Amino acid sequence: MVFERRLEDNLFAIREELLFGLYQHSRYERFTIHDPKERTIHKAIIKDRVVHQAIVNIIEPLFERGFIFDSFSCRVEKGTHAAVRRLRMFLHRASQNDTKTVYALKCDVRKFFDSVNHLVLLELLAKRIEDPATIRVLKNIISSFSVLPHTGIPLGNLTSQLFANIYLHELDWFVKQKLRVRYYVRYCDDFIMLSLSKTEAVVLIEQVDAFLQERLKVQLHPNKVHVRTWTQGVDFLGHVLLPRATILRPTTARRVIERATRENATSYLGLCVHADAYEVRRTIMNKTNI
């Protein structure tokens, strides 16, 4: 509200700083959320968030056209529900409608946002952006935060969502073009590859982890790499996919029921629409008297 009182003056002031190379990113406000696990968020001031939005508006189209279809995080007409639907379609295809055993290799990059290498990220940005002034602004934003020297991007920035897709597009390309994995879905740093052989899945783990460490300076989380058959249930983005149903992950279902109130019930009921969650839906309606 304070920024908006002198909106035009503030916007012209930001423009002048950007035009003359005077823009400097400010410090972040740090706070913690639980969604459900604890995450540390770094919130930029309004002025910097305006710059972040402007940057994304300009550079996102340059990269968006090169992203693979099966990258679902923070993209138009994508999202978690679309990713789960796509994975279910892939499981049907790979198993030939559940007539063959299919193995789902689920992986997670260890502390991804804290581990992004600034130099690698700038190198990837420079592949598509030739304007030196824009690169200077991007360097300023990237260097405004670090966990270790030249490492880490903040969870709170709009730019971080785009940076994550640019960074992990290298993984997408490696998996699709080098490893020739036909069935692959990624949502931010969570991704799944399908295989008809458990032995092949184990080899894929080694190849992907080696690429991540060598090229992107990150690594797989050793405790979050799982190989499961479809009949055992494939856990992905708060859902468990089975041949005859897609259910909410039990922890997700419990959290939804615990948090449901008359004020937010519609939102949680909407979540149930995307899964076979009749019992969860009925419990929410009974609890909130809807």
Side-chain angles (χ1 to χ4, degrees):
M1 289 172 64
V2 171
F3 187 90
E4 199 170 27
R5 284 175 195 161
R6 300 181 60 215
L7 180 61
E8 188 171 330
D9 290 342
N10 288 328
L11 292 178
F12 272 103
I14 293 172
R15 178 179 181 274
E16 291 295 308
E17 288 185 18
L18 290 169
L19 278 175
F20 294 103
L22 302 174
Y23 171 74
Q24 290 295 321
H25 201 286
S26 303
R27 295 174 65 88
Y28 293 90
E29 177 188 344
R30 175 178 171 172
F31 61 95
T32 302
I33 63 170
H34 298 82
D35 67 338
K37 68 180 181 180
E38 184 176 298
R39 296 180 187 274
T40 301
I41 306 296
H42 290 80
K43 185 175 75 172
I45 65 171
I46 294 293
K47 170 185 171 181
D48 293 324
R49 279 145 62 188
V50 170
V51 174
H52 297 169
Q53 183 67 68
I55 282 284
V56 169
N57 288 349
I58 296 300
I59 73 170
E60 187 172 39
L62 300 176
F63 294 93
E64 174 65 30
R65 63 177 69 109
F67 291 157
I68 68 168
F69 182 87
D70 293 314
S71 164
F72 285 88
S73 177
C74 303
R75 298 177 65 195
V76 175
E77 297 183 359
K78 300 288 184 176
T80 56
H81 300 309
V84 170
R85 288 195 300 271
R86 183 72 165 172
L87 176 58
R88 185 166 191 82
M89 184 186 74
F90 281 167
L91 286 162
H92 272 294
R93 286 183 180 177
S95 68
Q96 296 183 10
N97 292 324
D98 202 24
T99 60
K100 289 186 176 181
T101 300
V102 60
Y103 294 89
L105 167 58
K106 182 178 182 296
C107 302
D108 181 295
V109 179
R110 185 175 187 176
K111 295 184 177 179
F112 171 69
F113 283 90
D114 287 350
S115 303
V116 169
N117 183 280
H118 292 182
L119 297 179
V120 173
L121 176 57
L122 284 166
E123 174 198 333
L124 297 175
L125 290 165
K127 284 184 177 181
R128 293 291 182 95
I129 300 169
E130 299 178 356
D131 179 56
T134 304
I135 291 294
R136 279 197 301 272
V137 175
L138 289 167
K139 280 183 179 179
N140 196 309
I141 293 171
I142 293 167
S143 63
S144 68
F145 175 87
S146 63
V147 176
L148 296 172
H150 309 296
T151 306
I153 55 177
L155 274 173
N157 281 5
L158 177 64
T159 49
S160 294
Q161 300 171 3
L162 176 59
F163 291 162
N165 276 337
I166 293 169
Y167 207 83
L168 290 176
H169 173 70
E170 299 301 299
L171 170 65
D172 299 341
W173 187 89
F174 175 73
V175 169
K176 299 297 291 183
Q177 301 298 322
K178 292 293 185 179
L179 300 184
R180 297 290 182 181
V181 175
R182 184 174 182 182
Y183 301 116
Y184 166 80
V185 177
R186 180 176 64 79
Y187 187 93
C188 196
D189 59 325
D190 289 334
F191 58 96
I192 284 188
M193 297 177 283
L194 302 186
S195 171
L196 295 179
S197 160
K198 191 170 184 178
T199 302
E200 181 189 22
V202 172
V203 172
L204 286 173
I205 294 171
E206 297 171 353
Q207 292 174 313
V208 166
D209 200 28
F211 172 81
L212 288 172
Q213 292 189 49
E214 181 179 342
R215 177 69 181 97
L216 298 179
K217 314 304 180 189
V218 297
Q219 61 183 346
L220 293 178
H221 196 303
N223 299 327
K224 294 184 179 179
V225 175
H226 304 285
V227 179
R228 294 177 63 85
T229 65
W230 194 10
T231 53
Q232 290 175 314
V234 180
D235 189 322
F236 189 51
L237 302 178
H239 297 74
V240 178
L241 287 79
L242 296 155
R244 301 290 178 264
T246 297
I247 64 175
L248 293 177
R249 183 188 296 156
T251 54
T252 302
R254 284 196 298 271
R255 188 167 67 252
V256 164
I257 292 169
E258 288 170 3
R259 295 182 178 180
T261 64
R262 286 189 66 85
E263 289 71 29
N264 62 24
T266 302
S267 177
Y268 285 131
L269 290 172
L271 176 65
C272 293
V273 169
H274 297 277
D276 298 289
Y278 173 77
E279 290 298 330
V280 176
R281 180 181 175 86
R282 187 174 67 173
T283 302
I284 292 172
M285 293 178 72
N286 289 337
K287 178 185 176 182
T288 58
N289 296 316
I290 293 180

